[in-house]
Amino acid sequence: MTATERAPALAHIQSLPSWLLGRVAARGRSLVAEAFAAEGLRLQHHAVLAAVSEYGPVAQADVVRRLGFDAKDVVLLLNDLEKAGLAVRTPDPRDRRKNAVTATPAGERTLERCAELAEQANAALLAPLSAAEGRQLIELLTRVHEAR
C-alpha cells in the first residue's frame, strides 16, 4: 500500500503491531487480575508474594529492588499480605534493625492457586487460537521480547 493508498488514520494505528500488542496485553492483564481478585489479591500482591516466596526470608528493601516497586507501596502490599496470613515479617537475623519477610504455608498455597488461575486466564486469552497457533504466538512473542 502506498502513502496515497494508506488506510484512514485510526485504522492505520489499530493495524500496527505495537497497538495490537498493547490491546492484547491489556486484555491479558485484565483476565489475570480478575482471576486473582477471586483470591483477594491484586497483581502487585501476587508479585510481592512471589518474590517473598522465591527469595525469602528476604529484606523488604530487597523486594523493592527486585520488583522495582516504590518502597511505600511494598510496605502497604506486605501489610495486606501479612493481614491475610500469606506472609510474615520477623527481625532479620543478619541485621535486627531490618525485617525479613517469609511466605507462610497459606501464602505458598495461594501462589499455587494463582499459578492455576493465571494458566486458566491465559487459556481464555488464547482461546481464539488453535493449540499450535498458541504455541507459535508464544514463540514469536518470545523472539520479539528477547531481541531487545
Side-chain angles (χ1 to χ4, degrees):
M1 183 178 291
T2 67
T4 57
E5 298 171 353
R6 184 174 298 154
L10 183 57
H12 177 254
I13 289 168
Q14 292 174 336
S15 71
L16 295 172
S18 55
W19 189 90
L20 291 167
L21 286 168
R23 300 312 315 147
V24 172
R27 173 84 173 119
R29 276 191 303 279
S30 176
L31 288 168
V32 173
E34 187 178 304
F36 287 177
E39 293 293 314
L41 297 178
R42 294 189 330 262
L43 292 172
Q44 297 88 346
H45 286 116
H46 181 254
V48 170
L49 186 57
V52 167
S53 173
E54 187 167 336
Y55 299 107
V58 61
Q60 289 179 196
D62 289 337
V63 173
V64 169
R65 279 190 289 279
R66 289 188 183 279
L67 295 175
F69 288 3
D70 182 88
K72 292 175 191 164
D73 292 338
V74 170
V75 169
L76 295 173
L77 292 164
L78 284 171
N79 288 347
D80 293 343
L81 292 171
E82 197 166 33
K83 189 176 183 179
L86 304 178
V88 63
R89 289 180 262 206
T90 57
D92 189 330
R94 295 165 294 202
D95 185 345
R96 309 277 294 159
R97 297 169 295 171
K98 297 179 182 179
N99 282 326
V101 188
T102 307
T104 65
E108 295 294 343
R109 287 189 302 275
T110 297
L111 279 174
E112 289 174 17
R113 176 73 180 135
C114 285
E116 293 169 11
L117 292 170
E119 289 293 330
Q120 292 169 10
N122 278 277
L125 178 69
L126 298 180
L129 306 177
S130 70
E133 289 170 329
R135 286 189 300 274
Q136 183 180 23
L137 177 62
I138 298 299
E139 289 172 19
L140 294 170
L141 290 171
T142 300
R143 280 183 26 209
V144 170
H145 174 70
E146 290 175 349
R148 322 190 236 174

